[in-house]
PDB file of all heavy atoms in Angstrom:
ATOM      1  N   GLU A 686       8.768   9.532  -3.830  1.00 90.00           N
ATOM      2  CA  GLU A 686       9.860   8.564  -3.995  1.00 90.00           C
ATOM      3  C   GLU A 686       9.879   7.508  -2.857  1.00 90.00           C
ATOM      4  O   GLU A 686      10.275   6.371  -3.084  1.00 90.00           O
ATOM      5  CB  GLU A 686      11.184   9.297  -4.012  1.00 90.00           C
ATOM      6  CG  GLU A 686      11.437  10.157  -5.226  1.00 90.00           C
ATOM      7  CD  GLU A 686      10.940  11.572  -5.046  1.00 90.00           C
ATOM      8  OE1 GLU A 686      10.230  11.838  -4.042  1.00 90.00           O
ATOM      9  OE2 GLU A 686      11.212  12.426  -5.891  1.00 90.00           O
ATOM     10  N   HIS A 687       9.439   7.878  -1.676  1.00 91.00           N
ATOM     11  CA  HIS A 687       9.416   6.975  -0.568  1.00 91.00           C
ATOM     12  C   HIS A 687       8.383   5.850  -0.785  1.00 91.00           C
ATOM     13  O   HIS A 687       8.609   4.686  -0.448  1.00 91.00           O
ATOM     14  CB  HIS A 687       9.141   7.666   0.713  1.00 91.00           C
ATOM     15  CG  HIS A 687      10.293   8.484   1.228  1.00 91.00           C
ATOM     16  ND1 HIS A 687      10.243   9.245   2.388  1.00 91.00           N
ATOM     17  CD2 HIS A 687      11.557   8.621   0.715  1.00 91.00           C
ATOM     18  CE1 HIS A 687      11.456   9.824   2.533  1.00 91.00           C
ATOM     19  NE2 HIS A 687      12.221   9.492   1.547  1.00 91.00           N
ATOM     20  N   ALA A 688       7.265   6.201  -1.396  1.00 92.00           N
ATOM     21  CA  ALA A 688       6.259   5.172  -1.723  1.00 92.00           C
ATOM     22  C   ALA A 688       6.844   4.182  -2.711  1.00 92.00           C
ATOM     23  O   ALA A 688       6.653   2.960  -2.591  1.00 92.00           O
ATOM     24  CB  ALA A 688       5.011   5.845  -2.303  1.00 92.00           C
ATOM     25  N   LEU A 689       7.563   4.693  -3.731  1.00 90.00           N
ATOM     26  CA  LEU A 689       8.186   3.780  -4.692  1.00 90.00           C
ATOM     27  C   LEU A 689       9.256   2.905  -4.065  1.00 90.00           C
ATOM     28  O   LEU A 689       9.342   1.734  -4.312  1.00 90.00           O
ATOM     29  CB  LEU A 689       8.802   4.626  -5.825  1.00 90.00           C
ATOM     30  CG  LEU A 689       7.754   5.360  -6.713  1.00 90.00           C
ATOM     31  CD1 LEU A 689       8.522   6.320  -7.624  1.00 90.00           C
ATOM     32  CD2 LEU A 689       6.909   4.450  -7.492  1.00 90.00           C
ATOM     33  N   ALA A 690      10.088   3.521  -3.177  1.00 88.00           N
ATOM     34  CA  ALA A 690      11.160   2.767  -2.554  1.00 88.00           C
ATOM     35  C   ALA A 690      10.631   1.663  -1.678  1.00 88.00           C
ATOM     36  O   ALA A 690      11.288   0.608  -1.543  1.00 88.00           O
ATOM     37  CB  ALA A 690      12.055   3.738  -1.733  1.00 88.00           C
ATOM     38  N   LEU A 691       9.465   1.906  -1.075  1.00 89.00           N
ATOM     39  CA  LEU A 691       8.879   0.890  -0.205  1.00 89.00           C
ATOM     40  C   LEU A 691       8.117  -0.169  -0.941  1.00 89.00           C
ATOM     41  O   LEU A 691       7.721  -1.170  -0.345  1.00 89.00           O
ATOM     42  CB  LEU A 691       7.970   1.614   0.804  1.00 89.00           C
ATOM     43  CG  LEU A 691       7.432   0.840   2.002  1.00 89.00           C
ATOM     44  CD1 LEU A 691       8.585   0.276   2.824  1.00 89.00           C
ATOM     45  CD2 LEU A 691       6.585   1.759   2.869  1.00 89.00           C
ATOM     46  N   GLY A 692       7.945   0.014  -2.257  1.00 89.00           N
ATOM     47  CA  GLY A 692       7.118  -0.911  -2.996  1.00 89.00           C
ATOM     48  C   GLY A 692       5.680  -0.931  -2.547  1.00 89.00           C
ATOM     49  O   GLY A 692       5.026  -1.960  -2.500  1.00 89.00           O
ATOM     50  N   ALA A 693       5.213   0.280  -2.220  1.00 91.00           N
ATOM     51  CA  ALA A 693       3.904   0.450  -1.591  1.00 91.00           C
ATOM     52  C   ALA A 693       2.819   0.808  -2.577  1.00 91.00           C
ATOM     53  O   ALA A 693       3.119   1.400  -3.657  1.00 91.00           O
ATOM     54  CB  ALA A 693       3.953   1.519  -0.512  1.00 91.00           C
ATOM     55  N   ASP A 694       1.588   0.482  -2.254  1.00 92.00           N
ATOM     56  CA  ASP A 694       0.464   1.091  -2.929  1.00 92.00           C
ATOM     57  C   ASP A 694       0.396   2.599  -2.458  1.00 92.00           C
ATOM     58  O   ASP A 694       0.802   2.894  -1.349  1.00 92.00           O
ATOM     59  CB  ASP A 694      -0.853   0.399  -2.586  1.00 92.00           C
ATOM     60  CG  ASP A 694      -0.990  -0.926  -3.348  1.00 92.00           C
ATOM     61  OD1 ASP A 694      -0.201  -1.173  -4.259  1.00 92.00           O
ATOM     62  OD2 ASP A 694      -1.910  -1.681  -2.976  1.00 92.00           O
ATOM     63  N   ALA A 695      -0.136   3.421  -3.291  1.00 93.00           N
ATOM     64  CA  ALA A 695      -0.324   4.834  -2.934  1.00 93.00           C
ATOM     65  C   ALA A 695      -1.813   5.148  -2.718  1.00 93.00           C
ATOM     66  O   ALA A 695      -2.686   4.592  -3.430  1.00 93.00           O
ATOM     67  CB  ALA A 695       0.246   5.744  -4.013  1.00 93.00           C
ATOM     68  N   LEU A 696      -2.072   5.992  -1.751  1.00 92.00           N
ATOM     69  CA  LEU A 696      -3.424   6.464  -1.449  1.00 92.00           C
ATOM     70  C   LEU A 696      -3.365   7.961  -1.314  1.00 92.00           C
ATOM     71  O   LEU A 696      -2.640   8.468  -0.425  1.00 92.00           O
ATOM     72  CB  LEU A 696      -3.938   5.788  -0.176  1.00 92.00           C
ATOM     73  CG  LEU A 696      -5.377   6.061   0.241  1.00 92.00           C
ATOM     74  CD1 LEU A 696      -6.363   5.508  -0.778  1.00 92.00           C
ATOM     75  CD2 LEU A 696      -5.646   5.475   1.602  1.00 92.00           C
ATOM     76  N   LEU A 697      -4.026   8.703  -2.195  1.00 91.00           N
ATOM     77  CA  LEU A 697      -3.953  10.156  -2.199  1.00 91.00           C
ATOM     78  C   LEU A 697      -5.204  10.794  -1.679  1.00 91.00           C
ATOM     79  O   LEU A 697      -6.286  10.435  -2.097  1.00 91.00           O
ATOM     80  CB  LEU A 697      -3.661  10.623  -3.669  1.00 91.00           C
ATOM     81  CG  LEU A 697      -2.583   9.965  -4.437  1.00 91.00           C
ATOM     82  CD1 LEU A 697      -2.380  10.644  -5.780  1.00 91.00           C
ATOM     83  CD2 LEU A 697      -1.254   9.908  -3.663  1.00 91.00           C
ATOM     84  N   ILE A 698      -5.045  11.729  -0.741  1.00 88.00           N
ATOM     85  CA  ILE A 698      -6.169  12.518  -0.260  1.00 88.00           C
ATOM     86  C   ILE A 698      -6.299  13.803  -1.135  1.00 88.00           C
ATOM     87  O   ILE A 698      -5.388  14.611  -1.130  1.00 88.00           O
ATOM     88  CB  ILE A 698      -6.024  12.911   1.201  1.00 88.00           C
ATOM     89  CG1 ILE A 698      -5.951  11.683   2.101  1.00 88.00           C
ATOM     90  CG2 ILE A 698      -7.195  13.803   1.680  1.00 88.00           C
ATOM     91  CD1 ILE A 698      -5.854  12.015   3.579  1.00 88.00           C
ATOM     92  N   GLN A 699      -7.404  13.913  -1.838  1.00 80.00           N
ATOM     93  CA  GLN A 699      -7.575  15.036  -2.741  1.00 80.00           C
ATOM     94  C   GLN A 699      -9.038  15.534  -2.659  1.00 80.00           C
ATOM     95  O   GLN A 699      -9.952  14.735  -2.855  1.00 80.00           O
ATOM     96  CB  GLN A 699      -7.185  14.699  -4.156  1.00 80.00           C
ATOM     97  CG  GLN A 699      -7.914  13.442  -4.692  1.00 80.00           C
ATOM     98  CD  GLN A 699      -7.626  13.178  -6.166  1.00 80.00           C
ATOM     99  OE1 GLN A 699      -6.760  13.811  -6.736  1.00 80.00           O
ATOM    100  NE2 GLN A 699      -8.350  12.250  -6.750  1.00 80.00           N
ATOM    101  N   ARG A 700      -9.187  16.826  -2.388  1.00 71.00           N
ATOM    102  CA  ARG A 700     -10.519  17.462  -2.374  1.00 71.00           C
ATOM    103  C   ARG A 700     -11.562  16.595  -1.643  1.00 71.00           C
ATOM    104  O   ARG A 700     -12.587  16.270  -2.199  1.00 71.00           O
ATOM    105  CB  ARG A 700     -10.983  17.754  -3.808  1.00 71.00           C
ATOM    106  CG  ARG A 700     -10.059  18.717  -4.529  1.00 71.00           C
ATOM    107  CD  ARG A 700     -10.603  18.978  -5.941  1.00 71.00           C
ATOM    108  NE  ARG A 700      -9.711  19.893  -6.669  1.00 71.00           N
ATOM    109  CZ  ARG A 700      -9.866  20.270  -7.937  1.00 71.00           C
ATOM    110  NH1 ARG A 700     -10.894  19.743  -8.623  1.00 71.00           N
ATOM    111  NH2 ARG A 700      -9.079  21.111  -8.501  1.00 71.00           N
ATOM    112  N   HIS A 701     -11.272  16.275  -0.382  1.00 61.00           N
ATOM    113  CA  HIS A 701     -12.176  15.565   0.502  1.00 61.00           C
ATOM    114  C   HIS A 701     -12.453  14.130   0.069  1.00 61.00           C
ATOM    115  O   HIS A 701     -13.314  13.470   0.567  1.00 61.00           O
ATOM    116  CB  HIS A 701     -13.511  16.299   0.611  1.00 61.00           C
ATOM    117  CG  HIS A 701     -13.344  17.710   1.065  1.00 61.00           C
ATOM    118  ND1 HIS A 701     -13.046  18.034   2.355  1.00 61.00           N
ATOM    119  CD2 HIS A 701     -13.457  18.874   0.391  1.00 61.00           C
ATOM    120  CE1 HIS A 701     -12.958  19.383   2.450  1.00 61.00           C
ATOM    121  NE2 HIS A 701     -13.221  19.882   1.288  1.00 61.00           N
ATOM    122  N   GLY A 702     -11.684  13.638  -0.918  1.00 72.00           N
ATOM    123  CA  GLY A 702     -11.866  12.241  -1.354  1.00 72.00           C
ATOM    124  C   GLY A 702     -10.506  11.576  -1.498  1.00 72.00           C
ATOM    125  O   GLY A 702      -9.438  12.090  -1.182  1.00 72.00           O
ATOM    126  N   LEU A 703     -10.550  10.355  -2.035  1.00 83.00           N
ATOM    127  CA  LEU A 703      -9.349   9.585  -2.213  1.00 83.00           C
ATOM    128  C   LEU A 703      -9.130   9.211  -3.687  1.00 83.00           C
ATOM    129  O   LEU A 703     -10.081   9.024  -4.427  1.00 83.00           O
ATOM    130  CB  LEU A 703      -9.435   8.258  -1.389  1.00 83.00           C
ATOM    131  CG  LEU A 703      -9.452   8.371   0.116  1.00 83.00           C
ATOM    132  CD1 LEU A 703      -9.599   6.998   0.725  1.00 83.00           C
ATOM    133  CD2 LEU A 703      -8.175   9.030   0.641  1.00 83.00           C
ATOM    134  N   ALA A 704      -7.874   9.112  -4.064  1.00 84.00           N
ATOM    135  CA  ALA A 704      -7.470   8.487  -5.289  1.00 84.00           C
ATOM    136  C   ALA A 704      -6.683   7.256  -4.892  1.00 84.00           C
ATOM    137  O   ALA A 704      -5.701   7.338  -4.146  1.00 84.00           O
ATOM    138  CB  ALA A 704      -6.620   9.407  -6.161  1.00 84.00           C
ATOM    139  N   GLY A 705      -7.055   6.105  -5.425  1.00 82.00           N
ATOM    140  CA  GLY A 705      -6.385   4.866  -5.070  1.00 82.00           C
ATOM    141  C   GLY A 705      -7.188   4.128  -3.997  1.00 82.00           C
ATOM    142  O   GLY A 705      -8.351   4.446  -3.769  1.00 82.00           O
ATOM    143  N   PRO A 706      -6.591   3.167  -3.344  1.00 87.00           N
ATOM    144  CA  PRO A 706      -5.151   2.783  -3.480  1.00 87.00           C
ATOM    145  C   PRO A 706      -4.892   2.045  -4.807  1.00 87.00           C
ATOM    146  O   PRO A 706      -5.750   1.369  -5.328  1.00 87.00           O
ATOM    147  CB  PRO A 706      -4.897   1.860  -2.306  1.00 87.00           C
ATOM    148  CG  PRO A 706      -6.265   1.267  -1.993  1.00 87.00           C
ATOM    149  CD  PRO A 706      -7.268   2.341  -2.296  1.00 87.00           C
ATOM    150  N   ALA A 707      -3.680   2.253  -5.259  1.00 90.00           N
ATOM    151  CA  ALA A 707      -3.208   1.606  -6.511  1.00 90.00           C
ATOM    152  C   ALA A 707      -1.689   1.543  -6.416  1.00 90.00           C
ATOM    153  O   ALA A 707      -1.073   2.267  -5.642  1.00 90.00           O
ATOM    154  CB  ALA A 707      -3.645   2.401  -7.710  1.00 90.00           C
ATOM    155  N   PRO A 708      -1.054   0.677  -7.172  1.00 90.00           N
ATOM    156  CA  PRO A 708       0.412   0.602  -7.146  1.00 90.00           C
ATOM    157  C   PRO A 708       1.023   1.954  -7.430  1.00 90.00           C
ATOM    158  O   PRO A 708       0.551   2.713  -8.312  1.00 90.00           O
ATOM    159  CB  PRO A 708       0.713  -0.387  -8.261  1.00 90.00           C
ATOM    160  CG  PRO A 708      -0.484  -1.290  -8.310  1.00 90.00           C
ATOM    161  CD  PRO A 708      -1.662  -0.415  -8.022  1.00 90.00           C
ATOM    162  N   SER A 709       2.045   2.311  -6.674  1.00 88.00           N
ATOM    163  CA  SER A 709       2.626   3.657  -6.790  1.00 88.00           C
ATOM    164  C   SER A 709       3.067   3.965  -8.202  1.00 88.00           C
ATOM    165  O   SER A 709       2.947   5.082  -8.691  1.00 88.00           O
ATOM    166  CB  SER A 709       3.839   3.755  -5.846  1.00 88.00           C
ATOM    167  OG  SER A 709       3.465   3.639  -4.529  1.00 88.00           O
ATOM    168  N   GLU A 710       3.608   2.960  -8.917  1.00 87.00           N
ATOM    169  CA  GLU A 710       4.123   3.206 -10.264  1.00 87.00           C
ATOM    170  C   GLU A 710       2.999   3.603 -11.193  1.00 87.00           C
ATOM    171  O   GLU A 710       3.245   4.356 -12.160  1.00 87.00           O
ATOM    172  CB  GLU A 710       4.781   1.919 -10.821  1.00 87.00           C
ATOM    173  CG  GLU A 710       6.055   1.499 -10.093  1.00 87.00           C
ATOM    174  CD  GLU A 710       5.735   0.699  -8.835  1.00 87.00           C
ATOM    175  OE1 GLU A 710       4.541   0.516  -8.503  1.00 87.00           O
ATOM    176  OE2 GLU A 710       6.712   0.280  -8.179  1.00 87.00           O
ATOM    177  N   GLN A 711       1.765   3.186 -10.928  1.00 86.00           N
ATOM    178  CA  GLN A 711       0.625   3.566 -11.755  1.00 86.00           C
ATOM    179  C   GLN A 711       0.005   4.888 -11.328  1.00 86.00           C
ATOM    180  O   GLN A 711      -0.355   5.720 -12.200  1.00 86.00           O
ATOM    181  CB  GLN A 711      -0.424   2.464 -11.716  1.00 86.00           C
ATOM    182  CG  GLN A 711       0.034   1.124 -12.207  1.00 86.00           C
ATOM    183  CD  GLN A 711      -1.029   0.050 -12.063  1.00 86.00           C
ATOM    184  OE1 GLN A 711      -2.183   0.313 -11.843  1.00 86.00           O
ATOM    185  NE2 GLN A 711      -0.623  -1.202 -12.150  1.00 86.00           N
ATOM    186  N   LEU A 712      -0.084   5.111 -10.042  1.00 89.00           N
ATOM    187  CA  LEU A 712      -0.862   6.243  -9.542  1.00 89.00           C
ATOM    188  C   LEU A 712      -0.061   7.550  -9.480  1.00 89.00           C
ATOM    189  O   LEU A 712      -0.607   8.618  -9.718  1.00 89.00           O
ATOM    190  CB  LEU A 712      -1.401   5.923  -8.142  1.00 89.00           C
ATOM    191  CG  LEU A 712      -2.456   6.904  -7.590  1.00 89.00           C
ATOM    192  CD1 LEU A 712      -3.673   6.953  -8.489  1.00 89.00           C
ATOM    193  CD2 LEU A 712      -2.873   6.471  -6.187  1.00 89.00           C
ATOM    194  N   LEU A 713       1.217   7.440  -9.167  1.00 87.00           N
ATOM    195  CA  LEU A 713       2.024   8.656  -8.971  1.00 87.00           C
ATOM    196  C   LEU A 713       2.548   9.210 -10.272  1.00 87.00           C
ATOM    197  O   LEU A 713       3.672   8.946 -10.712  1.00 87.00           O
ATOM    198  CB  LEU A 713       3.195   8.335  -8.025  1.00 87.00           C
ATOM    199  CG  LEU A 713       2.777   7.888  -6.617  1.00 87.00           C
ATOM    200  CD1 LEU A 713       3.997   7.586  -5.751  1.00 87.00           C
ATOM    201  CD2 LEU A 713       1.863   8.898  -5.949  1.00 87.00           C
ATOM    202  N   GLN A 714       1.663   9.931 -10.932  1.00 87.00           N
ATOM    203  CA  GLN A 714       1.955  10.478 -12.224  1.00 87.00           C
ATOM    204  C   GLN A 714       1.935  12.035 -12.121  1.00 87.00           C
ATOM    205  O   GLN A 714       1.334  12.601 -11.232  1.00 87.00           O
ATOM    206  CB  GLN A 714       0.937  10.027 -13.287  1.00 87.00           C
ATOM    207  CG  GLN A 714       0.908   8.527 -13.440  1.00 87.00           C
ATOM    208  CD  GLN A 714       2.170   7.939 -13.964  1.00 87.00           C
ATOM    209  OE1 GLN A 714       2.931   8.551 -14.747  1.00 87.00           O
ATOM    210  NE2 GLN A 714       2.500   6.700 -13.527  1.00 87.00           N
ATOM    211  N   SER A 715       2.625  12.693 -13.093  1.00 88.00           N
ATOM    212  CA  SER A 715       2.791  14.133 -13.040  1.00 88.00           C
ATOM    213  C   SER A 715       1.477  14.877 -12.880  1.00 88.00           C
ATOM    214  O   SER A 715       1.334  15.765 -12.071  1.00 88.00           O
ATOM    215  CB  SER A 715       3.523  14.604 -14.321  1.00 88.00           C
ATOM    216  OG  SER A 715       4.795  14.012 -14.404  1.00 88.00           O
ATOM    217  N   GLU A 716       0.481  14.562 -13.718  1.00 87.00           N
ATOM    218  CA  GLU A 716      -0.761  15.306 -13.730  1.00 87.00           C
ATOM    219  C   GLU A 716      -1.486  15.211 -12.405  1.00 87.00           C
ATOM    220  O   GLU A 716      -1.978  16.232 -11.863  1.00 87.00           O
ATOM    221  CB  GLU A 716      -1.660  14.811 -14.867  1.00 87.00           C
ATOM    222  CG  GLU A 716      -2.958  15.611 -15.027  1.00 87.00           C
ATOM    223  CD  GLU A 716      -3.775  15.153 -16.201  1.00 87.00           C
ATOM    224  OE1 GLU A 716      -3.315  14.319 -16.974  1.00 87.00           O
ATOM    225  OE2 GLU A 716      -4.937  15.600 -16.331  1.00 87.00           O
ATOM    226  N   LEU A 717      -1.585  14.021 -11.855  1.00 86.00           N
ATOM    227  CA  LEU A 717      -2.309  13.826 -10.582  1.00 86.00           C
ATOM    228  C   LEU A 717      -1.569  14.491  -9.448  1.00 86.00           C
ATOM    229  O   LEU A 717      -2.205  15.160  -8.600  1.00 86.00           O
ATOM    230  CB  LEU A 717      -2.499  12.328 -10.353  1.00 86.00           C
ATOM    231  CG  LEU A 717      -3.386  11.963  -9.126  1.00 86.00           C
ATOM    232  CD1 LEU A 717      -4.746  12.645  -9.197  1.00 86.00           C
ATOM    233  CD2 LEU A 717      -3.560  10.466  -9.007  1.00 86.00           C
ATOM    234  N   LEU A 718      -0.267  14.336  -9.398  1.00 88.00           N
ATOM    235  CA  LEU A 718       0.529  15.011  -8.311  1.00 88.00           C
ATOM    236  C   LEU A 718       0.466  16.517  -8.425  1.00 88.00           C
ATOM    237  O   LEU A 718       0.403  17.230  -7.412  1.00 88.00           O
ATOM    238  CB  LEU A 718       1.961  14.503  -8.334  1.00 88.00           C
ATOM    239  CG  LEU A 718       2.158  13.054  -7.885  1.00 88.00           C
ATOM    240  CD1 LEU A 718       3.594  12.636  -8.060  1.00 88.00           C
ATOM    241  CD2 LEU A 718       1.766  12.882  -6.408  1.00 88.00           C
ATOM    242  N   SER A 719       0.479  17.032  -9.611  1.00 88.00           N
ATOM    243  CA  SER A 719       0.356  18.509  -9.814  1.00 88.00           C
ATOM    244  C   SER A 719      -0.955  18.981  -9.286  1.00 88.00           C
ATOM    245  O   SER A 719      -1.019  20.046  -8.620  1.00 88.00           O
ATOM    246  CB  SER A 719       0.540  18.849 -11.285  1.00 88.00           C
ATOM    247  OG  SER A 719       1.790  18.485 -11.780  1.00 88.00           O
ATOM    248  N   SER A 720      -2.024  18.253  -9.564  1.00 86.00           N
ATOM    249  CA  SER A 720      -3.336  18.703  -9.058  1.00 86.00           C
ATOM    250  C   SER A 720      -3.399  18.526  -7.529  1.00 86.00           C
ATOM    251  O   SER A 720      -3.962  19.372  -6.837  1.00 86.00           O
ATOM    252  CB  SER A 720      -4.432  17.809  -9.697  1.00 86.00           C
ATOM    253  OG  SER A 720      -5.690  18.060  -9.166  1.00 86.00           O
ATOM    254  N   LEU A 721      -2.778  17.491  -6.987  1.00 86.00           N
ATOM    255  CA  LEU A 721      -2.834  17.225  -5.570  1.00 86.00           C
ATOM    256  C   LEU A 721      -2.168  18.367  -4.777  1.00 86.00           C
ATOM    257  O   LEU A 721      -2.707  18.787  -3.777  1.00 86.00           O
ATOM    258  CB  LEU A 721      -2.122  15.893  -5.280  1.00 86.00           C
ATOM    259  CG  LEU A 721      -2.178  15.385  -3.820  1.00 86.00           C
ATOM    260  CD1 LEU A 721      -3.588  14.993  -3.452  1.00 86.00           C
ATOM    261  CD2 LEU A 721      -1.177  14.247  -3.627  1.00 86.00           C
ATOM    262  N   TYR A 722      -1.000  18.790  -5.253  1.00 87.00           N
ATOM    263  CA  TYR A 722      -0.235  19.784  -4.438  1.00 87.00           C
ATOM    264  C   TYR A 722      -0.357  21.193  -4.997  1.00 87.00           C
ATOM    265  O   TYR A 722       0.239  22.106  -4.436  1.00 87.00           O
ATOM    266  CB  TYR A 722       1.238  19.350  -4.438  1.00 87.00           C
ATOM    267  CG  TYR A 722       1.443  18.126  -3.575  1.00 87.00           C
ATOM    268  CD1 TYR A 722       1.783  16.886  -4.153  1.00 87.00           C
ATOM    269  CD2 TYR A 722       1.342  18.165  -2.208  1.00 87.00           C
ATOM    270  CE1 TYR A 722       1.972  15.740  -3.391  1.00 87.00           C
ATOM    271  CE2 TYR A 722       1.539  17.050  -1.430  1.00 87.00           C
ATOM    272  CZ  TYR A 722       1.854  15.824  -2.036  1.00 87.00           C
ATOM    273  OH  TYR A 722       2.036  14.726  -1.265  1.00 87.00           O
ATOM    274  N   GLY A 723      -1.105  21.410  -6.075  1.00 86.00           N
ATOM    275  CA  GLY A 723      -1.331  22.726  -6.572  1.00 86.00           C
ATOM    276  C   GLY A 723      -0.142  23.407  -7.184  1.00 86.00           C
ATOM    277  O   GLY A 723      -0.017  24.640  -7.167  1.00 86.00           O
ATOM    278  N   THR A 724       0.752  22.640  -7.724  1.00 88.00           N
ATOM    279  CA  THR A 724       1.950  23.193  -8.371  1.00 88.00           C
ATOM    280  C   THR A 724       2.439  22.183  -9.404  1.00 88.00           C
ATOM    281  O   THR A 724       2.253  20.955  -9.236  1.00 88.00           O
ATOM    282  CB  THR A 724       3.103  23.452  -7.342  1.00 88.00           C
ATOM    283  OG1 THR A 724       4.136  24.186  -7.968  1.00 88.00           O
ATOM    284  CG2 THR A 724       3.618  22.174  -6.731  1.00 88.00           C
ATOM    285  N   PRO A 725       2.984  22.660 -10.552  1.00 89.00           N
ATOM    286  CA  PRO A 725       3.447  21.713 -11.562  1.00 89.00           C
ATOM    287  C   PRO A 725       4.543  20.831 -11.089  1.00 89.00           C
ATOM    288  O   PRO A 725       5.550  21.259 -10.535  1.00 89.00           O
ATOM    289  CB  PRO A 725       3.929  22.628 -12.701  1.00 89.00           C
ATOM    290  CG  PRO A 725       3.307  23.936 -12.428  1.00 89.00           C
ATOM    291  CD  PRO A 725       3.170  24.068 -10.982  1.00 89.00           C
ATOM    292  N   ILE A 726       4.315  19.518 -11.201  1.00 87.00           N
ATOM    293  CA  ILE A 726       5.331  18.504 -10.805  1.00 87.00           C
ATOM    294  C   ILE A 726       5.551  17.575 -12.006  1.00 87.00           C
ATOM    295  O   ILE A 726       4.622  17.130 -12.648  1.00 87.00           O
ATOM    296  CB  ILE A 726       4.817  17.702  -9.591  1.00 87.00           C
ATOM    297  CG1 ILE A 726       4.697  18.587  -8.387  1.00 87.00           C
ATOM    298  CG2 ILE A 726       5.738  16.541  -9.281  1.00 87.00           C
ATOM    299  CD1 ILE A 726       4.078  17.970  -7.180  1.00 87.00           C
ATOM    300  N   GLU A 727       6.811  17.323 -12.280  1.00 87.00           N
ATOM    301  CA  GLU A 727       7.204  16.467 -13.385  1.00 87.00           C
ATOM    302  C   GLU A 727       7.830  15.141 -12.837  1.00 87.00           C
ATOM    303  O   GLU A 727       8.731  15.207 -11.999  1.00 87.00           O
ATOM    304  CB  GLU A 727       8.185  17.165 -14.302  1.00 87.00           C
ATOM    305  CG  GLU A 727       8.534  16.372 -15.552  1.00 87.00           C
ATOM    306  CD  GLU A 727       7.395  16.233 -16.534  1.00 87.00           C
ATOM    307  OE1 GLU A 727       6.529  17.132 -16.509  1.00 87.00           O
ATOM    308  OE2 GLU A 727       7.392  15.299 -17.295  1.00 87.00           O
ATOM    309  N   ALA A 728       7.326  14.031 -13.277  1.00 85.00           N
ATOM    310  CA  ALA A 728       7.960  12.759 -12.980  1.00 85.00           C
ATOM    311  C   ALA A 728       9.049  12.471 -13.958  1.00 85.00           C
ATOM    312  O   ALA A 728       8.796  12.450 -15.212  1.00 85.00           O
ATOM    313  CB  ALA A 728       6.885  11.621 -13.037  1.00 85.00           C
ATOM    314  N   VAL A 729      10.260  12.306 -13.532  1.00 85.00           N
ATOM    315  CA  VAL A 729      11.436  12.141 -14.379  1.00 85.00           C
ATOM    316  C   VAL A 729      12.074  10.809 -14.089  1.00 85.00           C
ATOM    317  O   VAL A 729      12.351  10.461 -12.933  1.00 85.00           O
ATOM    318  CB  VAL A 729      12.447  13.284 -14.120  1.00 85.00           C
ATOM    319  CG1 VAL A 729      13.689  13.085 -15.020  1.00 85.00           C
ATOM    320  CG2 VAL A 729      11.820  14.631 -14.399  1.00 85.00           C
TER     321      VAL A 729
END
């Protein structure tokens, strides 16, 4: 939510690599965040 509030691009560190950077609204989706943190996350 802080990335969205800042109007920032998001850059995700996942499995020794990166996803992004891309606009937060596009990149921060349920499936990718669930994989990133290893737990089901729902974007509401």
Side-chain angles (χ1 to χ4, degrees):
E686 292 89 350
H687 287 178
L689 294 171
L691 192 56
D694 284 349
L696 184 65
L697 312 185
I698 299 183
Q699 53 175 9
R700 295 181 182 177
H701 305 286
L703 293 178
S709 296
E710 295 82 358
Q711 298 176 16
L712 191 60
L713 299 180
Q714 302 296 328
S715 299
E716 183 177 353
L717 186 53
L718 289 173
S719 298
S720 174
L721 184 71
Y722 290 108
T724 189
I726 294 174
E727 184 69 26
V729 179

